[in-house]
Structures are given as structure tokens and as C-alpha cells.
Amino acid sequence: MRSNTTIKNLFFFTCIVLNFGVAHAQNPQQTLRGQVFDAVAQKALSGATVLLEGSTSGTSTDENGKFRFENLPVGRYRLRVSFVGYDTLVVPEVLLEAGRETVLQLPLNIAYTTLSELNITAAPLEIESLNPSVRSISNETTLRFPGVFFDPARTASAFPGVVNTNDQANFLSVRGNTPNANLWRLEGVDILNPNHTPNAGSQSDLPTFTGGGVNMLSTQMLGNSAFLSGDYAAGYGNALGGIFDMRLRTGNNEQQEYTLQASLLGLDVAAEGPIGKAGGASYLVNARYSTLGLLSDLGVDVGGETIGFKDLAVNLVFPFAKGGKFTLFGMAGNSSNVFTGDRDSTTWEFDKDRQDIDFESSTQVLGGTFRLPTGKKGMWHTAFAYSSYKSARLSTYFSGAGPTLADQIGQSRRSLHSYWYIKPNPRQTFKAGVIYNGGDLIQPYTSTKLDFGNLELELGLHYIKLINVVALEGGQINNLEPRLNFAYRLDANKKLTLSFGEFSQKPILPIYGGEQLPTALVQSQQSSIGFQIQTSPSTSVEVQAYYQKQKNVAVLPYSFQLLSSNFSNERVPVLLSDFNNPETINADGEARNYGLELNLRRYLEKGFYLLANSSIYQSEYRNNSSAYLQTFGNNDWRDSHFNGRYVFNTTAGKEWRKERKPGKVKLWGLNGRVVVMGNLRQTPIDASLSQSEGITVPLYTSLDGNEQVDPAFSVKSSTYFRLDTRLYFKWNTAGRNNTFALDIQNASNQENAGFFYYDHLQKQILEKKQLGIIPILSYRVEF
């Protein structure tokens, strides 16, 4: 029966490919257009020069700052934009395909002196920083990188200092911090966890708060986003790890366009086009329905569960005269993990085999932005959003061997981010704003950037205050945070950077029985020094050393950190009685992270791209409470859960273009990624206590002779290795482009260690392995 189902599903998938992939070949051409404008005042720049490098094509912008190249052969281009008095902008990796126009929004910065050209992907103004820890992620990059499930968060795991802590999800540990230290933004405003199946891969099978199986926003919706790994500018707060600042793509405002993607993960459909006959307004909408049932039918192990999700997202854009703009955006989705145990007791191998487990979650986000130029040199921007999340998990022993456990979580957040930006003269910019999360915290800030030619300074001040909280004894609920970013240009191609700042975060607390636990800000001092060199127009090398020191970390007095930023991205599997006595929690913990990162990036040029980096780091903590000292006698620095100590990443791809006959343009691409890293550290399991409590309980103390020893994170798992590959074939016909791809995740079928747990059926401690080989076929058409 299973083989028949598999054959039917593969036959259906093949029919989809053949139905959309066959078309009469004509000369494939497309339009490249966009607008050039002042990055601060948002005013159109008339007369800017726009060139396509490597060709004779060039044009100038009209009175509205717009430019247009029509009837260009499809392929990859490199765009150069220049205007008198402004820095030159170079945009690499511009992909032009037959099925969809490429529309670019290109902000230029006023130049104080003649500097080298700037290689970026036209990131929004507030994302820009002097610190090299800001990494851009484009829509096309996410579609090209192997092994990322078309998920921009997984794409970020290819950056230096970033570790994905579990194959089943996008739990990112940044520079040795927990994923709980990360922050999600959408259109510049803070939101709750925007990921499906947030319990995927977690040791307790309970939901996490900053990650999940896959991002709720389809790649079709995303524009040029950014991932920040540290030393943020003053406009960011309430984060100590990484910040994912997602930006939505603006729909085509001149013609209707559609995208359909079918894969063994499910279906993805997008539509975009103009709203009304004039005015430039547009819409973009995307819907997904996904199930891993096809993979299960093919015999692929995806965790032993039936996993599915569906979501809907929309972005409406209404431009005003003179650079103003109003947008409305929203997304909604739900996901489920269902495990049905085997009723035949003779087949049971693990405790989970005699349980039924049903997990469901849903997330909604509704928001908007308003942008209005103020005078000739300023701009006021406001973004607002309401996000909500809820989940329910029910596990039942149908054999009567254990208790029925029910777990529910509900969260909501009202967020606002409003700021004013002005450039009073060519060498100075000023920004003042406020971030407000209703009923949670408020964060006013201000910053100024000074440009002295070879020397640039970015000075900021950020204030954070917790609202309506029970203060933890010894902790702080407010903090004034200075920020400094410094860049010195040695010559046109070499730059030295230095950063320092204070940062704070409200820790994510586990809640049992609706009780509000006392809390305090975890505070961190972060500094870094870096050197960058541009070896060619498409290639750069950078090295960066960093140091982070955290204080006021909440801990339990008798054991390892509990609520700190160096523990875990899930609700901690310890005795429930610990949480029923909040007085046992104190803010006497410390943590520190330090390391060295080396990064080489070559943008796709002449059919080849490369992103290679290495990170060597330490992630440590210590417990300074008097009760801990009485138990263990010392508070030495200890390895944290995330102290893998090293990670080596290489992502590379080669593309071949074939045009044997006019009108038949084909692209073959081969991409690969290799990850080698030290695995996460584990805490031994207390077998007897796990058996009596019915859950997996860490070992809190152990004896070394007559001395009590803290065993937390004392177990080092084997080295992690993973190879991902992506082979794709693109062909363009008149009005349509097609992509057929095969992704193979963990192509070597490496059995990487996951975590330890106590199995109540076998009555012993077992190790859970991470995912094995996963092949994913996909077909994508744009028309």
C-alpha cells in the first residue's frame, strides 16, 4: 500500500512539472527598472547614472528618479548607480528572468568625500551600520543556497559565528548565545516568534520562543533583509544574540505576475500586481500549504511525526507624492506535529511508541508602516504591529503506562517603532526614535553619525525600561546604554572597525500555572575590532574579534544557569517545584563569550560564488550565589551549553549558461555547503530522578571523592559534520521562467548527535540523533 501511494504522489508531481514546464521557446527578454532616491529624505534623484557592468547598456533617471531597461536578455547583471554628491552604489547578483520584471529601490547616501564604491543589496536605511556584523540576505540568495528549506533564517546559519543548534529547526546560536537571546523584526518593528512548529527538535518537545521548523514567511514575500550578529546600532534593543530584520518585497505596480512552487514539502503560490490604474500602489499575496507526508511515503525519516503547516501573507503598498508611503502587511498561519503510537505492544522500542502526541500552534501578525519626508533633509518613519501566538500540546499514554500531560501557551504583543531621521549637512546624520512593546517595555534612543572622510563615527544612546514586572532581587529593570561604532578607511579598499556598547534583554521566562515570575534585565557589554579588505569588486575578506560580558543573569542557587542567555531555547525540563518557589531564583549569574571570526565572500560573478568562514570561540558562565558556593565550594568559569568552540562553513556554487539556439537560454547550477563544528555540550541525566518524576531530569550534583561537583554541560558530543547539495536547472521562455531543483540535505547521511534523554520504556538513558539524509524535489515557475 505504501509503495502504491508513493508512486501516485510521484506521478502527480511529475505531471505538475510537465504541465507548467513545456512551452514554445521564443527569445526570452525582460525589463529591469527601478527608482533612485536620497536615502534620508526619500526624494527622487533626477539625472542619476545607471549602468549595467559588462555591457554597453546605460541610462539616466527621469524627473521621478525612475529608470528602465527594456528587452534585456535574461541572465545575471551587476548594477552601478552614481550621482554627483552621493556615494556610488554597486548592486551585485541582479537576476533577470523571463517570468517576472526585476524592480529595484536604490537609496543613495550623500558623500562627504570621494570614497570607494559600496557593495550592498540596497538595504533599508535603519539597517545600515559601520559594523561589519550586519549581513544582508536577498530573496535570490535564499532560493539559491542549499539545505535551507527556502528559509531565510537557515540561510543566516552560513554566516560567521552562527550555529544552527538542531537540524529540525532554525534555532540559531549567535556567538555562543542561546537562541533565546535573538530578536525577530518585521518591517522594522518587533514581533513574536514567526516560525512554524516551534517545538521541532526541542529536547522536551515543548514549544520554543525564537525558532521553529520553518519561517512563516515564504521566500516569495521577502525583499532585502538583514541579519545582525552583534554590536547593534542604537535603533535596536532587547537582544543579546542575533537580530533578524525581515523586510517584505513590494509587489509589481505595473503588471500582474504569478509564482507557483511545488515540491515534496508542499505548494507555494504567490500573486502580485498594481492596485488601481494610477498612483503606483501594489499588492503582494502568498499562500502555502505544506505537508511532509510525501517524504514519509518515500521512506525518509523526518522525526517520526506527521508534520504540516499552512500560512497566508499579504503586503499592500501605497506611495504618496514626494517620497511618502503607507503600507499594510499581515500574515497568519498554523502548524501541527502529530505522533500516533503503535497499538501493537510487541513492536515497541522506545517510550514514545506507546504515546499519542498532538501539538498545534498558530501565529498572527497585522501591521503597517507610514513614511513621510520632513523638509528637504529629513524623514519620519513609523511602523506598528500586533502579533499573537498560541500553542497546545497533549500527550497521552494509551497503554496506561503514564500520565496525560497537557500544555498550553498564549502570548500577544503590541509593538511600535517610530523615529525621525535627518541629514543636516553632508557629513552628519541624526536619528531619534522610540520602540514600545505595550505592557512590556519602552526603549527611547538617539544616535548621530559623523563622516570625516577616512574616519566615520556612529555615536548612540539607548534606554530600556521594563513595564509591569515583578523585579528580581538584585536585578535591574532599566538601563542606559551607550553605543559606539568607529570605522577608519586606510585606503580605498581597506577599513578598520571598532565597536563598543551596552545591551540589555528581558529574559524569556518559563511560566507554569499562569504565575508571573520575578525578572530583571540581563545586561551585556560587547566590544569588537575588525579589519576588512576589498580584494576585487566582487570579493571581500574580513576578520573580527569580539568579547561579550553579561551580568544579572538569573540562576537557581544550587545548580547551573536556568534563565540565562547561555542556557537553552526551550522551557527547561527540571522539577516543577523549582518554579513554584520563585524565591529560589536570583540574579547572581555571569556569562562571557569571546572569539575570532574570519570571513571570505565572493558575490556571484562569472558563474561562481563563495561564502567561506571560520569561527573559534568560547562560551562560558559562572554562578556567584552564596548557596551555590556553599554546595560546590567554587564559582569557576564553566562551559555553557553552546560552547562548541569552533565552526567552519563553506557555501559555494557554480552556474553554467547555455544558449545553443536563439530563444533557448538554459542555466545549470551546482551548489554545496559543508559545515564542521564542535557539537553542543550536554548535561548528564539523573536516571533515578527521571524515572520517578516521569520526565527527563538533568543531574544536578555528582561526587568526586567526597566533594560535590556541578556536572552541568560536562559531556562533549562528537564533532558535527554535514554536507548539503543543490542541483538546479533553469530555462527561460517568452513570459515564463522555470526552475527544477534537487536539494539533498545531509547528503552523506551523517548521524550527528542530538541530545540525551531518559526513555521510560527501556529504563535507560538514550541519545537522540539528528536528521539523516533528506532529498527534496521542487519545481518553480514565474509568469
Side-chain angles (χ1 to χ4, degrees):
M1 180 64 71
R2 184 170 186 171
S3 61
N4 290 337
T5 303
T6 301
I7 292 173
K8 291 179 181 178
N9 288 330
L10 288 175
F11 177 75
F12 174 71
F13 182 79
T14 304
C15 288
I16 292 178
V17 173
L18 294 177
N19 184 48
F20 286 98
V22 178
H24 179 65
Q26 299 179 24
N27 293 326
Q29 296 177 334
Q30 189 52 273
T31 297
L32 170 62
R33 61 185 178 89
Q35 185 179 34
V36 180
F37 53 90
D38 183 288
V40 176
Q42 302 290 304
K43 67 177 181 179
L45 297 180
S46 175
T49 300
V50 184
L51 297 175
L52 294 177
E53 294 187 354
S55 73
T56 58
S57 299
T59 188
S60 298
T61 57
D62 63 17
E63 65 276 9
N64 296 314
K66 296 182 178 181
F67 67 91
R68 178 184 293 266
F69 295 96
E70 294 186 338
N71 301 321
L72 287 176
V74 298
R76 296 191 183 274
Y77 294 88
R78 181 180 173 91
L79 195 71
R80 177 188 294 268
V81 185
S82 58
F83 189 68
V84 176
Y86 286 79
D87 287 336
T88 298
L89 172 66
V90 175
V91 185
E93 301 182 340
V94 177
L95 177 62
L96 197 63
E97 296 186 294
R100 186 171 70 186
E101 290 185 341
T102 297
V103 185
L104 303 175
Q105 296 294 312
L106 303 174
L108 297 188
N109 288 304
I110 296 177
Y112 176 60
T113 58
T114 302
L115 300 177
S116 65
E117 62 192 33
L118 183 63
N119 286 288
I120 65 171
T121 53
L125 178 68
E126 61 270 30
I127 291 179
E128 293 181 11
S129 174
L130 298 178
N131 192 284
S133 299
V134 180
R135 317 283 178 183
S136 62
I137 300 179
S138 68
N139 172 289
E140 197 272 336
T141 299
T142 304
L143 290 172
R144 179 171 14 108
F145 272 27
V148 299
F149 279 117
F150 310 111
D151 181 351
R154 292 174 187 262
T155 304
S157 65
F159 296 148
V162 183
V163 170
N164 193 356
T165 63
N166 192 282
D167 289 346
Q168 294 187 47
N170 54 23
F171 305 147
L172 302 184
S173 172
V174 182
R175 291 183 169 177
N177 289 289
T178 172
N180 270 351
N182 298 339
L183 174 71
W184 289 92
R185 274 190 173 182
L186 180 59
E187 290 293 281
V189 65
D190 300 355
I191 61 172
L192 295 174
N193 185 8
N195 290 285
H196 287 297
T197 57
N199 69 325
S202 65
Q203 181 174 351
S204 63
D205 200 36
L206 294 173
T208 57
F209 298 97
T210 57
V214 66
N215 195 279
M216 263 185 55
L217 278 174
S218 168
T219 305
Q220 333 288 3
M221 293 293 299
L222 291 174
N224 293 325
S225 301
F227 186 82
L228 297 79
S229 56
D231 301 316
Y232 332 113
Y236 293 94
N238 195 35
L240 302 180
I243 298 178
F244 207 110
D245 201 334
M246 300 183 296
R247 301 297 165 133
L248 298 174
R249 184 170 62 85
T250 300
N252 194 313
N253 60 6
E254 292 188 4
Q255 66 181 31
Q256 300 288 336
E257 294 176 339
Y258 305 93
T259 302
L260 171 64
Q261 181 168 290
S263 74
L264 295 180
L265 297 177
L267 294 173
D268 199 332
V269 181
E272 59 187 283
I275 300 176
K277 296 182 179 180
S282 67
Y283 77 92
L284 172 63
V285 61
N286 188 92
R288 286 192 299 185
Y289 177 82
S290 183
T291 175
L292 299 185
L294 282 174
L295 289 176
S296 298
D297 289 341
L298 291 170
V300 177
D301 181 10
V302 291
E305 301 177 352
T306 300
I307 302 173
F309 63 84
K310 54 186 176 181
D311 52 54
L312 176 69
V314 62
N315 187 32
L316 309 177
V317 178
F318 303 93
F320 299 154
K322 299 181 180 180
K325 184 172 70 173
F326 175 68
T327 74
L328 285 173
F329 60 86
M331 65 178 182
N334 57 55
S335 57
S336 64
N337 302 34
V338 179
F339 179 84
T340 303
D342 195 336
R343 265 53 182 177
D344 183 358
S345 60
T346 61
T347 64
W348 293 347
E349 296 183 56
F350 307 104
D351 183 58
K352 190 175 181 180
D353 295 334
R354 51 182 179 170
Q355 298 181 56
D356 288 338
I357 304 174
D358 190 350
F359 176 85
E360 294 183 355
S361 67
S362 63
T363 301
Q364 298 81 35
V365 178
L366 180 63
T369 67
F370 180 75
R371 185 182 72 194
L372 183 65
T374 56
K376 296 182 179 180
K377 299 181 178 181
M379 184 264 292
W380 174 54
H381 186 280
T382 295
F384 56 91
Y386 173 81
S387 54
S388 63
Y389 162 81
K390 63 180 180 180
S391 69
R393 180 184 183 276
L394 178 67
S395 64
T396 304
Y397 281 89
F398 55 81
S399 66
T404 296
L405 298 177
D407 183 88
Q408 293 184 336
I409 293 179
Q411 294 178 292
S412 64
R413 173 178 292 175
R414 303 184 309 277
S415 302
L416 174 75
H417 182 195
S418 184
Y419 63 88
W420 178 58
Y421 209 103
I422 189 171
K423 195 173 185 73
N425 58 69
R427 71 175 188 178
Q428 181 182 13
T429 56
F430 176 80
K431 182 180 181 181
V434 62
I435 304 167
Y436 174 72
N437 292 338
D440 194 16
L441 53 86
I442 186 169
Q443 303 172 81
Y445 66 89
T446 182
S447 67
T448 186
K449 183 178 177 182
L450 301 173
D451 189 339
F452 300 102
N454 289 340
L455 174 65
E456 293 178 274
L457 292 175
E458 189 175 36
L459 307 172
L461 199 60
H462 185 104
Y463 177 76
I464 182 171
K465 179 178 176 60
L466 299 181
I467 303 172
N468 300 323
V469 299
V470 178
L472 185 66
E473 183 178 355
Q476 292 183 229
I477 62 171
N478 58 72
N479 194 31
L480 185 62
E481 304 166 352
R483 312 275 177 88
L484 167 66
N485 284 300
F486 164 97
Y488 181 72
R489 197 174 292 276
L490 302 173
D491 58 34
N493 298 314
K494 301 182 185 69
K495 184 167 66 173
L496 180 70
T497 62
L498 179 67
S499 298
F500 171 81
E502 291 195 9
F503 307 86
S504 303
Q505 183 183 27
K506 178 184 177 182
I508 299 174
L509 303 180
I511 298 175
Y512 288 92
E515 180 182 6
Q516 182 186 32
L517 296 180
T519 187
L521 291 171
V522 179
Q523 296 171 287
S524 175
Q525 289 186 344
Q526 300 185 10
S527 57
S528 67
I529 183 170
F531 178 73
Q532 294 175 282
I533 180 170
Q534 193 82 23
T535 59
S536 74
S538 297
T539 306
S540 63
V541 180
E542 64 185 51
V543 59
Q544 189 171 30
Y546 65 88
Y547 182 84
Q548 303 176 351
K549 180 70 177 293
Q550 299 173 12
K551 65 178 182 178
N552 293 337
V553 176
V555 293
L556 285 175
Y558 61 82
S559 185
F560 53 84
Q561 296 180 92
L562 176 64
L563 307 177
S564 81
S565 63
N566 279 64
F567 188 65
S568 178
N569 186 42
E570 56 184 284
R571 298 155 73 202
V572 186
V574 298
L575 303 180
L576 302 188
S577 59
D578 296 332
F579 296 103
N580 294 330
N581 184 14
E583 296 177 358
T584 64
I585 302 173
N586 58 69
D588 292 333
E590 291 181 282
R592 67 182 183 186
N593 306 313
Y594 52 95
L596 180 69
E597 299 170 353
L598 177 65
N599 186 53
L600 166 65
R601 179 160 192 172
R602 171 192 165 99
Y603 287 101
L604 202 159
E605 184 180 37
K606 297 181 180 179
F608 176 71
Y609 76 91
L610 174 66
L611 178 60
N613 52 72
S614 62
S615 301
I616 301 173
Y617 65 97
Q618 285 286 110
S619 176
E620 302 170 327
Y621 76 94
R622 66 182 177 187
N623 191 330
N624 298 320
S625 69
S626 58
Y628 184 90
L629 289 173
Q630 290 175 6
T631 302
F632 299 108
N634 69 77
N635 63 339
D636 297 336
W637 288 102
R638 303 177 51 82
D639 292 316
S640 82
H641 177 48
F642 300 99
N643 196 16
R645 299 192 178 182
Y646 62 89
V647 55
F648 301 100
N649 256 312
T650 299
T651 304
K654 175 63 178 175
E655 194 171 75
W656 295 269
R657 175 188 171 98
K658 301 293 183 181
E659 190 175 2
R660 295 178 179 176
K661 296 181 180 180
K664 292 186 177 182
V665 179
K666 300 178 181 179
L667 291 175
W668 287 91
L670 178 62
N671 302 266
R673 182 190 176 201
V674 175
V675 184
V676 180
M677 66 182 185
N679 218 324
L680 304 185
R681 306 187 71 87
Q682 306 293 330
T683 298
I685 304 301
D686 190 322
S688 59
L689 196 54
S690 297
Q691 177 66 26
S692 61
E693 289 290 325
I695 60 174
T696 298
V697 181
L699 184 66
Y700 293 123
T701 63
S702 61
L703 287 175
D704 182 7
N706 295 323
E707 293 185 354
Q708 293 285 343
V709 177
D710 184 351
F713 313 125
S714 60
V715 179
K716 183 70 168 67
S717 298
S718 57
T719 299
Y720 178 101
F721 173 83
R722 175 165 157 165
L723 169 66
D724 298 327
T725 62
R726 175 176 171 82
L727 175 66
Y728 63 83
F729 173 54
K730 290 176 174 282
W731 67 101
N732 284 264
T733 58
R736 178 183 297 175
N737 57 275
N738 312 264
T739 304
F740 185 78
L742 172 62
D743 281 88
I744 303 179
Q745 303 186 45
N746 193 7
S748 63
N749 201 26
Q750 185 83 9
E751 291 190 349
N752 289 303
F755 52 81
F756 296 105
Y757 71 99
Y758 184 82
D759 189 277
H760 291 82
L761 178 65
Q762 297 194 19
K763 293 183 171 46
Q764 62 177 320
I765 298 168
L766 302 177
E767 184 179 57
K768 175 71 173 177
K769 298 294 185 180
Q770 299 204 47
L771 294 181
I773 186 170
I774 300 181
I776 299 177
L777 284 169
S778 65
Y779 171 72
R780 175 185 175 89
V781 58
E782 295 176 302
F783 57 97

